[in-house]
Amino acid sequence: MLTYLSRRVLSLIVSLAAASLVIFLVVEIAPGDPAAYMLGINAQPETLAALRAELNLDLSPPARYLAWVGGLLTGDLGISYTYRTPVAGMVADRLWISLPLTVYALVLAVLVAFPAGLVAAARRGRPADLAVMGASQLGVAVPNFWFAMLLVSLFAITWRIFPSGGFPGWDDPAAALKALTLPAIALALPQAAILARILRSSLIDALHEDYIRTARAKGLSPAQALRRHGLRNALIPVLTILGLQFSFLLAGAIIIEQVFYLPGLGRLIFQSISQRDLITVESVVMLLVFAVIVVNFLTDLAYAIADPRLRRR
């Protein structure tokens, strides 16, 4: 296990180094001058040169890359070109909305998908299976922004159970969770549908394995054999999807955050790109890539725990 862990840590470090270089190059080669954008087209050359020096934009690309990476290693994400405040503080403020929203949506997706996948696999070809598959097909096909607007129409405008948008802050946790409930449901629906279908397929494959036949021969029902022996072996593809879904939800909730007026990381990236705030774009994207790589690392560890044979590969 120690050798496996060492290999995965080395792979994580190499991936982060390669990602930082790619992100820097992609953002740096984008057309436009942030200093010129900030000062406008009528800016004097001396003022423009002074601002470029203040933002370190007059340094060579290698020097800027090393300065940026050095700052990342010490937790300094730089100063926003647009807001003139530390990027780390802006990210921390937004992360306290996006991260709980992601976890909330993922928990809802798992709570819906696991029972649905188990029922569908245990009752394959029966009405319960057809109902789960039909609902999951609908969940994948319906755009989540349309579902979000439907939720707002029903639960916020018609029945007034949840707020239609905005975020009150974490001073009142109950109000904060209430504000995140509709966005979390909108994000969880397609993820639950995907998870349920994959779990059903994995469990049906497990039904044909010898250890399931042995469990059935000992007197267990199909549902009991699946729950006690098949579920753990069917978890590997499900863990893969869960890891990818976490990354997608954390970085990809831009539209849902716009629908519900949530000031999360997605909106921060959108605003930073439109304002040519390169240092904020680089740092936030790097943070999201770091989250993706760490989640994949933890997923690999979960693989090794679920299936010890993977530690020898």
Side-chain angles (χ1 to χ4, degrees):
M1 185 65 182
L2 188 59
T3 304
Y4 175 82
L5 188 61
S6 302
R7 288 202 307 267
R8 298 308 305 162
V9 170
L10 180 61
S11 173
L12 182 147
I13 294 172
V14 172
S15 299
L16 287 175
S20 69
L21 184 58
V22 171
I23 291 169
F24 181 81
L25 290 176
V26 169
V27 174
E28 289 296 318
I29 63 175
D33 184 348
Y37 181 88
M38 294 167 63
L39 294 177
I41 58 176
N42 296 321
Q44 298 295 322
E46 299 79 9
T47 308
L48 188 61
L51 183 57
R52 288 181 58 81
E54 181 184 348
L55 299 177
N56 290 330
L57 294 174
D58 58 340
L59 298 177
S60 65
R64 286 158 56 192
Y65 173 72
L66 292 176
W68 175 59
V69 171
L72 291 178
L73 293 176
T74 59
D76 180 8
L77 304 184
I79 302 296
S80 166
Y81 295 165
T82 303
Y83 301 104
R84 311 299 296 156
T85 58
V87 176
M90 294 168 56
V91 170
D93 291 341
R94 307 301 182 98
L95 201 58
W96 277 109
I97 299 173
S98 293
L99 190 58
L101 175 62
T102 300
V103 174
Y104 196 178
L106 211 54
V107 169
L108 291 178
V110 169
L111 289 177
V112 172
F114 271 62
L118 276 169
V119 168
R123 300 184 179 278
R124 182 185 181 189
R126 298 180 184 177
D129 179 28
L130 297 177
V132 170
M133 288 299 96
S136 65
Q137 186 69 40
L138 191 63
V140 173
V142 173
N144 59 2
F145 69 87
W146 182 86
F147 186 61
M149 290 189 288
L150 180 65
L151 290 174
V152 169
S153 176
L154 291 177
F155 292 95
I157 297 175
T158 304
W159 297 326
R160 299 180 182 278
I161 299 174
F162 295 100
S164 60
F167 186 71
W170 287 104
D171 294 336
D172 184 351
L177 284 177
K178 197 172 181 180
L180 293 181
T181 296
L182 292 185
I185 293 174
L187 286 171
L189 175 70
Q191 313 308 324
I194 294 170
L195 273 180
R197 295 179 74 87
I198 291 175
L199 184 61
R200 173 186 178 273
S201 299
S202 299
L203 288 172
I204 288 175
D205 290 341
L207 277 173
H208 302 291
E209 298 292 338
D210 291 338
Y211 61 86
I212 293 292
R213 295 193 186 95
T214 303
R216 292 290 311 280
K218 290 180 178 178
L220 295 181
S221 67
Q224 289 173 325
L226 277 178
R227 191 172 59 252
R228 295 182 187 179
H229 301 284
L231 186 57
R232 178 172 177 172
N233 292 285
L235 278 181
I236 289 180
V238 176
L239 289 173
T240 302
I241 298 301
L242 273 176
L244 294 174
Q245 285 183 337
F246 181 86
S247 311
F248 170 79
L249 290 173
L250 185 60
I254 297 176
I255 295 177
I256 296 299
E257 289 179 0
Q258 294 286 346
V259 171
F260 290 97
Y261 302 103
L262 294 176
L265 280 179
R267 287 190 70 188
L268 178 62
I269 293 177
F270 180 79
Q271 293 166 347
S272 301
I273 291 174
S274 63
Q275 295 166 343
R276 296 287 304 161
D277 195 350
L278 298 186
I279 189 68
T280 302
V281 175
E282 288 173 353
S283 299
V284 175
V285 172
M286 188 63 213
L287 182 68
L288 294 174
V289 169
F290 176 77
V292 171
I293 292 176
V294 169
V295 168
N296 286 337
F297 172 75
L298 296 176
T299 304
D300 287 343
L301 292 185
Y303 287 168
I305 294 172
D307 186 353
R309 293 173 299 178
L310 296 176
R311 301 173 194 171
R312 295 189 290 271
R313 295 181 183 177

